[in-house]
Amino acid sequence: MEATGRMALCVCSLLVLLTEISAKFINVPSSIRHGIEGKSLRLPVEMYFQLDEAEIQGTWSHTTTSGIRTMLVTFTNQSSITDMMYRNHIFFKEPNMSLLIRRLNQRDEGDYHLNLNIEFLNNSGQVFKEERTVRVTVDVPVSTPVIEKSPSFAVVEDKANVTWTCTVERGTRVVFQWFRDNVLVGLSDRYHFSKDKSTLLISPVKKEDKGSYRCVASNPVSQERCRRAVELTVYYGPYNLEVNSDQGLRTGEVFTINPGELVFFDCRADSNPANSYVWISKGRNTTITVGPRLEVLSYRLAQAEDYLCRAFNNVTQKQDETQFTLVVASLGTGKEKHTQDYNAVSPLAVITVCSLLIIGGMLLVFFRKACHPKRVLMRIYNRPISDQKRPHRSGHEDATEDFGIYEFVSVPGKMESAQASCRSLARLESVQDMHTTIYDVIRHVPETPGQSLLK
Ligand SMILES: *[C@@H]1O[C@H](CO)[C@@H](O)[C@H](O)[C@H]1NC(C)=O
Ligand SMILES: *[C@@H]1O[C@H](CO)[C@@H](O)[C@H](O)[C@H]1NC(C)=O
Ligand SMILES: *[C@@H]1O[C@H](CO)[C@@H](O)[C@H](O)[C@H]1NC(C)=O
Ligand SMILES: *[C@@H]1O[C@H](CO)[C@@H](O)[C@H](O)[C@H]1NC(C)=O
Ligand SMILES: *[C@@H]1O[C@H](CO)[C@@H](O)[C@H](O)[C@H]1NC(C)=O
């Protein structure tokens, strides 16, 4: 008893060893095969030995999905016996060990086992055992899917849910995929798929859900895409409200523009449907204009005003607003075009105005202090007319007026002479002949009016 047991153990271990070694004699390319209902399916077997050097003996059997096992074929290298029940259904031709199943139906699903004994003729009776299993599925190809959306109309963001359904008339083991603008719809807290993904519930709908939807139905043997994409329109916004301008200089919320410049401000926000825009002056708390564009023409320097743009989506009933400060100032290094025009005129004007102001101011101060020209001139004027030289008075009804004007207007750039004249005027107040003194003063003035007066 013990001897036989040990013997059996030995044989077993030898067999296990041999089986492991012999794994290279045949090959079944894939352990799972997907068949199409009504079509045939071949379970191929590749052999890695010379048929004429070996004697073979084997079987093909089938275990259904419910676990019923049936012997299909028994074969050697020269002959085969196919079960009568399957004679028209399967095809086997030795010595090729591949099995062909014809006109597949659902009952053909399951595991197909190949058991093989190989004995090489030149080898001392050693038998190599081979065992392989192929799982077979049988599917009906999917028909073209049809996509539907509920509700069919456009929806408002955050308020509505949308249900997508994808259906096929035919097909087994169908799974669905959803594409928005040709990108696979991924996972999200707002997306709820049915088990086979035939329905997709979006709850609630957001702006990013808008787009063109398609579904794809597939199973192991086929894949079909719906012919027609369905658009999802979402009402949303306003988002990303902002004010822009091609002109002026922007620093954060402050736009600086040149005085006298006509500036356009554009208010934009992302929204569906289009927003309505309102421009409001904050200071005056009044609506300036309706529409996305604001026109500002400003002259006053150092003027600052706050403007507000309000965007309103009348479908979502949401609004947003943004404000900015407009400052009017000379932009030294602002926009080339505008400053150029401005600069072409300004240097001369500015210098002239400034020097005139300075000189005028100085003169005013000086005269107040020392000259009191009015008093002097009045005194002169009050002298008898006979004392004055007549020709000089011709064409000048009021000499006092002339003196005053010339002193002021023609002095610029001649500060010294102006001061000198004033000093002399003050000094000579007590001198007898006032006329000469006055005319001397005016002689320093180089312009023509002074000359004409001298003659
Ligand atoms: C099949 O096996 C027999 C031995 O049983 C052998 O004589 C014969 O040559 C083999 N046939 C082929 C085609 O290998
Ligand atoms: C078995 O037959 C099929 C079809 O006739 C063929 O494609 C395949 O190569 C054969 N296999 C062997 C091992 O000869
Ligand atoms: C959308 O679905 C949520 C649940 O996911 C529900 O509470 C809500 O009432 C639905 N809204 C509409 C408009 O059907
Ligand atoms: C909503 O606004 C759009 C454009 O801004 C306008 O055409 C439409 O008439 C408005 N609808 C209502 C109900 O006010
Ligand atoms: C602006 O005017 C509106 C009415 O036109 C008023 O309701 C609001 O209180 C005012 N705001 C300020 C800051 O005065």
Side-chain angles (χ1 to χ4, degrees):
M1 279 296 283
E2 208 187 271
T4 11
R6 206 176 283 163
M7 183 83 158
L9 197 72
C10 270
V11 170
C12 278
S13 8
L14 188 70
L15 277 177
V16 168
L17 199 70
L18 287 174
T19 310
E20 275 176 14
I21 292 165
S22 69
K24 61 181 187 230
F25 292 124
I26 60 164
N27 179 45
V28 173
S30 56
S31 58
I32 182 151
R33 306 282 294 180
H34 303 289
I36 297 170
E37 195 171 73
K39 299 274 169 68
S40 22
L41 179 70
R42 177 178 296 279
L43 308 181
V45 179
E46 292 162 0
M47 281 182 278
Y48 299 133
F49 62 93
Q50 292 297 312
L51 267 172
D52 51 8
E53 288 171 8
E55 199 176 320
I56 57 171
Q57 195 181 29
T59 59
W60 270 108
S61 59
H62 174 221
T63 307
T64 61
T65 44
S66 51
I68 300 161
R69 189 164 181 153
T70 319
M71 190 62 71
L72 300 172
V73 189
T74 308
F75 60 89
T76 65
N77 63 338
Q78 281 174 317
S79 64
S80 63
I81 302 162
T82 305
D83 189 292
M84 275 172 72
M85 296 288 287
Y86 297 92
R87 213 151 270 177
N88 294 321
H89 195 53
I90 60 170
F91 177 80
F92 183 92
K93 186 75 193 103
E94 73 289 336
N96 189 331
M97 283 177 278
S98 303
L99 184 73
L100 180 77
I101 311 164
R102 292 174 162 138
R103 292 183 305 281
L104 280 171
N105 63 55
Q106 297 293 322
R107 291 186 308 277
D108 294 324
E109 286 198 334
D111 291 339
Y112 287 78
H113 316 277
L114 170 65
N115 284 281
L116 195 63
N117 292 336
I118 306 164
E119 189 185 348
F120 291 99
L121 299 177
N122 60 356
N123 220 313
S124 53
Q126 253 191 50
V127 177
F128 298 92
K129 280 191 176 289
E130 295 276 17
E131 213 178 312
R132 296 288 187 280
T133 300
V134 183
R135 177 153 293 177
V136 169
T137 66
V138 177
D139 284 303
V140 176
V142 292
S143 56
T144 306
V146 174
I147 185 171
E148 265 176 70
K149 178 177 62 131
S150 166
S152 56
F153 43 82
V155 292
V156 178
E157 178 180 49
D158 292 324
K159 290 182 183 163
N161 303 334
V162 167
T163 306
W164 291 97
T165 358
C166 189
T167 47
V168 287
E169 274 181 15
R170 279 172 286 108
T172 51
R173 272 190 275 258
V174 188
V175 289
F176 298 86
Q177 282 175 305
W178 293 90
F179 292 84
R180 177 180 47 241
D181 300 328
N182 295 320
V183 176
L184 187 69
V185 173
L187 294 175
S188 159
D189 290 346
R190 299 182 295 106
Y191 298 162
H192 309 276
F193 292 101
S194 64
K195 201 181 171 197
D196 62 356
K197 293 196 171 179
S198 62
T199 64
L200 162 60
L201 167 67
I202 306 178
S203 170
V205 169
K206 294 270 189 195
K207 176 200 162 184
E208 54 263 34
D209 300 328
K210 75 189 167 82
S212 184
Y213 283 75
R214 277 182 190 274
C215 70
V216 170
S218 55
N219 67 6
V221 295
S222 61
Q223 177 163 324
E224 287 289 330
R225 196 168 80 132
C226 65
R227 293 227 169 80
R228 179 178 67 93
V230 174
E231 204 71 29
L232 174 62
T233 305
V234 180
Y235 294 130
Y236 61 88
Y239 291 127
N240 307 323
L241 180 65
E242 60 175 18
V243 169
N244 282 304
S245 180
D246 291 342
Q247 298 130 295
L249 186 71
R250 183 179 193 160
T251 325
E253 302 290 290
V254 178
F255 280 94
T256 310
I257 61 165
N258 281 311
E261 198 178 1
L262 176 64
V263 186
F264 298 101
F265 292 97
D266 287 304
C267 192
R268 271 198 209 96
D270 183 16
S271 150
N272 182 33
N275 295 303
S276 54
Y277 296 94
V278 170
W279 285 93
I280 292 160
S281 162
K282 288 274 282 184
R284 284 172 276 154
N285 191 22
T286 50
T287 300
I288 308 163
T289 181
V290 171
R293 176 163 271 203
L294 173 71
E295 258 183 58
V296 177
L297 177 59
S298 204
Y299 286 104
R300 271 195 295 137
L301 261 166
Q303 179 185 348
E305 190 160 1
D306 288 338
Y307 290 98
L308 185 145
C309 171
R310 180 178 294 150
F312 178 67
N313 182 329
N314 63 4
V315 175
T316 62
Q317 294 287 308
K318 287 181 190 169
Q319 69 172 45
D320 194 7
E321 52 189 43
T322 183
Q323 73 177 73
F324 68 93
T325 306
L326 183 67
V327 175
V328 183
S330 296
L331 293 171
T333 52
K335 301 282 273 181
E336 289 289 312
K337 199 183 127 204
H338 299 283
T339 43
Q340 243 172 16
D341 294 350
Y342 187 64
N343 282 343
V345 193
S346 66
L348 198 74
V350 167
I351 291 167
T352 314
V353 168
C354 286
S355 34
L356 277 177
L357 281 174
I358 293 166
I359 292 158
M362 284 177 78
L363 277 175
L364 204 68
V365 169
F366 187 77
F367 269 72
R368 278 232 175 130
K369 261 188 171 174
C371 298
H372 302 294
K374 254 191 183 163
R375 206 173 61 203
V376 175
L377 292 169
M378 280 300 280
R379 229 178 263 171
I380 296 159
Y381 189 65
N382 286 343
R383 287 179 76 92
I385 287 173
S386 57
D387 283 2
Q388 295 175 12
K389 290 172 185 175
R390 282 205 168 265
H392 295 163
R393 271 188 58 83
S394 63
H396 293 274
E397 291 307 311
D398 193 348
T400 51
E401 221 173 76
D402 288 344
F403 296 152
I405 289 162
Y406 294 139
E407 288 259 325
F408 260 86
V409 172
S410 40
V411 158
K414 298 256 173 192
M415 289 287 288
E416 238 118 65
S417 69
Q419 276 172 353
S421 66
C422 283
R423 218 178 294 125
S424 60
L425 203 71
R427 186 169 46 82
L428 290 167
E429 213 172 354
S430 55
V431 175
Q432 261 279 275
D433 197 347
M434 294 298 277
H435 285 94
T436 15
T437 315
I438 293 297
Y439 289 137
D440 270 349
V441 169
I442 292 170
R443 203 185 297 141
H444 288 288
V445 179
E447 302 301 322
T448 39
Q451 279 166 1
S452 74
L453 202 71
L454 272 169
K455 280 175 189 169

